[in-house]
Structures are given as C-alpha cells and as structure tokens.
C-alpha cells in the first residue's frame, strides 16, 4: 500500500566532508522504481555545490568513469588534528586558493 501513496524518493548523495549532501536524484514515485533496479544515479549537484568527475591524473573525466569531486560552500577544509591525512585527501584547486576539494573514495 505504501508504494501506491503519492510519495517521492530522493537519493541524496555526499561524502561526510560535504556535511549534508552534494547531489540529489529525485524519483517521482517510490512505486516507479522497478524491482530489478540495483542502483540509482547520484543525481545533480545541489545548488551550493559543483561536482566533477576526475581521472587518476585529476583531469576532468568527461564521458568516462571517474572519481567524484565536490566543490562549493559548506565543505570541510580538512580533518581535525590530522594534517597528513588532510594533505592526502584534500586537494587545493587551481581556480582559487580558498576552494578545497575533498576526494570521495579510495
């Protein structure tokens, strides 16, 4: 019965460094998801974030699989008391010194 109700389902994706979330994918009705679906898209960036896919050389992976990178307001700027981990996982973007790019994934 719940699948017949006028409810929507949102896939709200984001690494913990993004605070709440970075992207959203809305499904019109919960019942609209076929039972055989295994995954959902991560969706589009929320209005306060930019999301890009990067290749292993940290170049845009246009039309290819890549690592999700999130930029924008509300992101962490590093890990508290873990400067080495911060140095490995957070990248300074060339566009602006204050933009920090947390790496999402391994």
């Amino acid at each position: 019965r719940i699948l017949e109700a006028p409810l929507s389902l949102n896939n709200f994706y984001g690494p913990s460094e993004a605070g709440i979330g970075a992207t959203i994918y809305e499904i019109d009705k919960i019942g609209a998801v076929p039972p055989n679906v295994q995954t959902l898209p991560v969706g589009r960036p929320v209005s306060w974030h930019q999301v890009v896919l990067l290749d292993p050389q940290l170049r845009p992976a246009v039309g290819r699989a890549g690592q999700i990178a999130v930029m924008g307001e509300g992101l962490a700027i590093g890990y508290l008391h873990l400067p080495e981990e911060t140095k490995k996982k957070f990248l300074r973007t060339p566009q602006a010194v204050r933009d920090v790019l947390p790496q999402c994934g391994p």
Side-chain angles (χ1 to χ4, degrees), residues 58-104:
L58 304 178
R59 296 181 305 227
V62 179
R64 299 173 288 151
Q67 177 177 284
I68 296 173
V70 180
M71 297 178 279
E73 297 179 25
L75 296 174
I77 58 171
Y79 299 120
L80 185 63
H81 306 303
L82 297 171
E84 291 303 316
E85 193 66 16
T86 295
K87 193 174 183 178
K88 285 192 311 191
K89 295 290 184 176
F90 285 77
L91 307 172
R92 294 275 170 202
T93 62
Q95 294 89 353
V97 174
R98 64 190 179 130
D99 283 345
V100 176
L101 186 62
Q103 293 182 293
C104 310

Side-chain angles (χ1 to χ4, degrees), residues 4-104:
E4 296 170 7
L7 302 173
S8 65
L9 173 67
N10 293 300
N11 182 22
F12 200 43
Y13 165 82
S16 58
E17 294 85 356
I20 298 171
T23 66
I24 189 166
Y25 179 76
E26 184 176 357
I27 298 168
D28 293 335
K29 271 181 52 179
I30 292 176
V33 180
N36 62 336
V37 169
Q38 298 289 316
T39 62
L40 293 174
V42 295
R44 297 182 183 273
V46 293
S47 63
W48 57 93
H49 284 143
Q50 292 176 304
V51 175
V52 294
L53 293 179
L54 300 175
D55 69 13
Q57 289 74 39
L58 304 178
R59 296 181 305 227
V62 179
R64 299 173 288 151
Q67 177 177 284
I68 296 173
V70 180
M71 297 178 279
E73 297 179 25
L75 296 174
I77 58 171
Y79 299 120
L80 185 63
H81 306 303
L82 297 171
E84 291 303 316
E85 193 66 16
T86 295
K87 193 174 183 178
K88 285 192 311 191
K89 295 290 184 176
F90 285 77
L91 307 172
R92 294 275 170 202
T93 62
Q95 294 89 353
V97 174
R98 64 190 179 130
D99 283 345
V100 176
L101 186 62
Q103 293 182 293
C104 310

